[in-house]
Amino acid sequence: MGQKEVVYVVSDSVGETAGFVVKAVATQFNGGQVDIRRNSYVEDFEDIEDVLLLAVKDQSIIAYTIVIPTLKEYLDRRAQEEGIIAVDLLSPLMKAFEAKFNKEPHHRPGLMRKLDEEYFRKIEAIEFAVKYDDGRDPRGITKADIVLIGVSRTSKTPLSMYLAHQRFKVANVPLVPEVQPPEELFQIPRKNCIGLIISPDKLNEIRKERLRALGLASRANYASFERILKELDHAEKIMKRVGCPIIDVSNKAVEETAGLILDVLKKERSL
């Protein structure tokens, strides 16, 4: 290709998919010297006529990703009448899927973009949970959708990650008698916070196992009943001061506790 050829990319959504495909093909011809002109959110016959006028003038190709059947059929017919090559980038694969899965496609534009947005929200929430895990930075408390508070080994971190996968930004704060809780905890709305409690027996069992796994069985104080009761008493006082809902995590799987957290918050606010 000596000069830059024009390709019109037409879509009833953003048009990124068609743009990528055109670029990929163009690189196989003289280094990809193609002028790609995108026409996004095409939603009626008039929009298609506007593109056709330009394509006829430039004698260019139209590459399109249109999932609305009436628009697709109209573009195919009018392109043929005007002697313009219009390439449907989706239909062959959609027909293969339809035949294979014996299902009708939704024919709704923008579904890929919706999936992408949900994916990036999830990644953002996971990064947030990592950054504001274990009270590392109290500034996360005011930015979080959900703040989890409780003593050590009440599943705060696993719950934060599980809820992050459901696109909630979660910060968690350990409650320790020797450490003053961050002031931010008392500044946020009570509906943003959940207190996690656990039975002394269960916590004793979990902590003993944790010490064994770390080879620190000699640190008996961490798992002693006296220490555990002191921590739980301190945590309960903080939770009452915050005024947050409280959930008992004893003998509950992370998934079950997460479900309870979301149920409690739905009563407090609209999620």
Side-chain angles (χ1 to χ4, degrees), residues 31-45:
Q33 295 301 304
V34 171
D35 184 3
I36 298 171
R37 298 180 186 173
R38 189 187 293 181
N39 294 263
S40 304
Y41 302 110
V42 167
E43 55 187 26
D44 54 37
F45 299 151

Side-chain angles (χ1 to χ4, degrees), residues 68-191:
I68 301 170
T70 51
L71 289 181
K72 174 202 155 24
E73 287 158 15
Y74 185 84
L75 176 53
D76 284 342
R77 179 173 61 78
R78 290 290 293 116
Q80 191 172 15
E81 288 170 2
E82 297 292 345
I84 292 293
I85 297 170
V87 182
D88 182 349
L89 300 175
L90 292 184
S91 279
L93 192 54
M94 283 180 73
K95 284 176 181 172
F97 271 53
E98 199 174 337
K100 177 67 179 172
F101 302 125
N102 199 26
K103 285 184 179 178
E104 280 282 324
H106 294 298
H107 296 300
R108 292 204 311 269
L111 292 182
M112 186 67 180
R113 164 69 52 168
K114 187 179 175 186
L115 283 174
D116 284 347
E117 284 172 357
E118 287 181 1
Y119 172 76
F120 286 118
R121 273 203 303 272
K122 179 161 72 172
I123 295 302
E124 190 181 359
I126 291 168
E127 288 175 347
F128 187 95
V130 171
K131 184 174 181 179
Y132 298 111
D133 181 44
D134 208 32
R136 207 170 289 160
D137 184 345
R139 289 175 298 181
I141 294 170
T142 56
K143 299 175 186 175
D145 298 319
I146 304 168
V147 179
L148 303 178
I149 59 174
V151 302
S152 172
R153 314 315 296 171
T154 47
S155 300
K156 295 185 299 299
T157 298
L159 282 166
S160 296
M161 295 307 296
Y162 185 89
L163 291 165
H165 277 82
Q166 297 183 49
R167 298 177 296 284
F168 293 103
K169 291 180 179 176
V170 186
N172 73 77
V173 180
L175 300 179
V176 185
E178 294 78 14
V179 179
Q180 190 70 19
E183 276 306 311
E184 288 87 349
L185 208 54
F186 308 106
Q187 295 165 359
I188 60 171
R190 61 179 295 279
K191 65 187 179 192

Side-chain angles (χ1 to χ4, degrees), residues 204-221:
N204 173 254
E205 181 188 321
I206 291 169
R207 287 190 174 183
K208 278 182 177 176
E209 185 54 45
R210 177 66 174 164
L211 288 174
R212 274 196 295 270
L214 293 172
L216 299 171
S218 60
R219 285 186 58 191
N221 187 46

Side-chain angles (χ1 to χ4, degrees), residues 20-52:
F20 288 141
V21 173
V22 170
K23 281 179 186 174
V25 172
T27 56
Q28 302 298 318
F29 296 87
N30 196 31
Q33 295 301 304
V34 171
D35 184 3
I36 298 171
R37 298 180 186 173
R38 189 187 293 181
N39 294 263
S40 304
Y41 302 110
V42 167
E43 55 187 26
D44 54 37
F45 299 151
E46 204 172 306
D47 291 337
I48 288 172
E49 286 295 335
D50 290 342
V51 177
L52 280 165

